[in-house]
Amino acid sequence: MRRFLRDNGLSVVFGLLFLGSVVGQAFAGHADYVNRQLARGGDPVSFWAYVTSSDFAVDIAENWQSEYLQFFLYVMATVWLVQRGSPESKQLRRIGRESDADQLVGRHVTESSPRWARTGGWRTVLFSRSLGLVMGLLFLSSWLAQSIAGMSAFNAERLADFTDPLTWPQYVASADFWNRTLQNWQSEFLAIGSMAILSVYLRERGSPESKPVGASHTVTDESG
């Protein structure tokens, strides 16, 4: 168990942080929702009713879709775009899909290469695009979940105000949907852009997200 925790520390710790933050959000969101219900003269709802509601689902989904969009775009953009001096970027000479030798495919595979990398054909082609494809699918799935849950929550408020509900296409084109969406997107784009440029000039000793402390500012694609 100790070795498992050492070898999988990042995934275990961030998995626990994720679960803890979701639970915390559920309790805080429930308290806030009950307060808003009481302020409107409505009845309080149970914790279980809240966490299975569209209000809770849309808050969760809108954050997930922005995170997966960030990583999908970053995975795809870093194939062709570089940032001189950043460990978040590959070397300038490696712009593009790179050679078979660089990617250890074709006649350059090794015994330890994943099976689908050694198989060749459509399996290797699919495997070589698998990270971007999965990130893209996760983004689209969470975006769809956000739009459906958001429509349900938005229409509940409209019905409470005695106004007609919106259809899904109407809601996706509405200001409410894009306000929720863009306020998350802009923070993700700012964060990842800041990391790419700040890591050129700043260091964090021992972190693979940072260059070695003594490395030149112009050194690219080298982690500490």
Side-chain angles (χ1 to χ4, degrees), residues 1-217:
M1 177 59 72
R2 179 178 296 179
R3 182 173 182 178
F4 173 83
L5 292 175
R6 183 202 67 183
D7 293 349
N8 299 277
L10 275 174
S11 57
V12 169
V13 168
F14 278 95
L16 292 173
L17 287 172
F18 165 72
L19 292 175
S21 61
V22 169
V23 171
Q25 179 184 351
F27 280 102
H30 175 246
D32 179 64
Y33 185 78
V34 168
N35 289 336
R36 287 187 282 116
Q37 284 289 99
L38 294 175
R40 295 172 181 172
D43 297 324
V45 299
S46 67
F47 176 78
W48 180 248
Y50 171 72
V51 297
T52 57
S53 70
S54 57
D55 289 88
F56 182 67
V58 69
D59 289 339
I60 291 287
E62 71 182 32
N63 286 295
W64 289 8
Q65 61 91 5
S66 64
E67 295 294 339
Y68 284 122
L69 174 65
Q70 173 194 163
F71 285 112
F72 168 70
L73 291 178
Y74 197 64
V75 165
M76 302 306 293
T78 50
V79 174
W80 302 100
L81 303 179
V82 296
Q83 179 63 55
R84 180 186 293 274
S86 175
E88 299 296 314
S89 166
K90 59 184 179 180
Q91 296 175 358
L92 279 64
R93 65 175 179 82
R94 294 171 56 198
I95 292 176
R97 291 293 181 183
E98 304 181 11
S99 67
D100 286 355
D102 288 330
Q103 290 294 309
L104 300 178
V105 293
R107 62 187 180 88
H108 303 283
V109 297
T110 67
E111 291 184 359
S112 60
S113 296
R115 183 166 61 89
W116 276 38
R118 290 185 278 111
T119 302
W122 68 268
R123 291 179 177 85
T124 298
V125 172
L126 180 61
F127 184 63
S128 68
R129 304 290 194 276
S130 57
L131 182 60
L133 286 172
V134 170
M135 286 294 180
L137 288 173
L138 288 170
F139 161 66
L140 291 175
S141 298
S142 52
W143 181 88
L144 180 61
Q146 177 205 345
S147 67
I148 294 172
M151 178 189 68
S152 179
F154 186 71
N155 282 338
E157 293 184 0
R158 288 178 65 88
L159 290 171
D161 295 332
F162 303 103
T163 54
D164 294 332
L166 299 181
T167 63
W168 183 79
Q170 288 174 326
Y171 177 70
V172 169
S174 71
D176 181 83
F177 175 77
W178 285 105
N179 178 53
R180 283 179 172 272
T181 299
L182 292 174
Q183 67 181 329
N184 284 284
W185 286 8
Q186 54 87 14
S187 63
E188 302 301 336
F189 298 153
L190 175 64
I192 205 165
S194 298
M195 184 63 182
I197 191 63
L198 290 176
S199 60
V200 174
Y201 303 103
L202 306 178
R203 309 286 189 270
E204 185 60 45
R205 184 169 183 159
S207 174
E209 299 302 313
S210 167
K211 293 185 289 189
V213 176
S216 168
H217 291 326

